[in-house]
Amino acid sequence: MWNTCAWTAEGQRDWIKTTLGPILEAAGMRYLKLMVLDHNRDALPWYPATILEDPQSNQFVDGVAIHWYDDDNTGPEVMTELHSLFEDKFLLYTESCDGKYLRLKNMLAHDNVK
């Protein structure tokens, strides 16, 4: 994994529920959309599920940020699985390179992105 911040799912969960979430709430900034993960599909659904299964951290999270890297090795069914577990959270591709924008064009053409 390339997670340079070295967040574990448990560490991110605990930081959101004890620090970031309450700070955003106290500052009146809950209009900001908080996304977790921000990594590849190979971390789905387990990584965000660790955070979202906890009601205290879940209340502050709006969605899951996903990168396109390594998609050839992890199929899109993990996104469907995650969405079915947490239907109130959005999934958003947030980072790509190497010409993979063509994949999004293809996905949109086939109505796979909602």
Side-chain angles (χ1 to χ4, degrees), residues 17-84:
K17 74 180 177 182
T18 63
T19 306
L20 181 61
I23 287 172
L24 291 174
E25 186 81 35
M29 299 179 73
R30 280 298 295 134
Y31 58 86
L32 296 175
K33 300 297 181 197
L34 180 61
M35 295 178 280
V36 297
L37 183 61
D38 202 31
H39 198 58
N40 305 336
R41 288 195 314 212
D42 63 350
L44 299 178
W46 65 271
Y47 192 107
T50 300
I51 299 164
L52 298 173
E53 287 171 347
D54 183 305
Q56 291 178 299
S57 57
N58 183 308
Q59 68 179 323
F60 297 114
V61 177
D62 299 290
V64 179
I66 305 167
H67 296 180
W68 306 49
Y69 313 115
D70 209 31
D71 278 6
D72 296 336
N73 295 314
T74 305
E77 63 277 356
V78 294
M79 295 170 64
T80 302
E81 182 181 352
L82 178 65
H83 184 257
S84 66

Side-chain angles (χ1 to χ4, degrees), residues 6 8 10 13-14 21 30 42 53 57 67 71-72 75 77 80-81 86 90 93 97 99-100 111 114:
T8 64
E10 295 80 10
R13 175 199 63 209
D14 294 346
R30 280 298 295 134
D42 63 350
E53 287 171 347
S57 57
H67 296 180
D71 278 6
D72 296 336
E77 63 277 356
T80 302
E81 182 181 352
F86 306 99
F90 64 84
Y93 271 122
C97 68
K100 297 201 178 183
D111 194 30
K114 296 182 183 189

Side-chain angles (χ1 to χ4, degrees), residues 80-96:
T80 302
E81 182 181 352
L82 178 65
H83 184 257
S84 66
L85 291 170
F86 306 99
E87 293 182 350
D88 61 324
K89 308 300 181 191
F90 64 84
L91 307 179
L92 181 67
Y93 271 122
T94 57
E95 186 176 321
S96 174

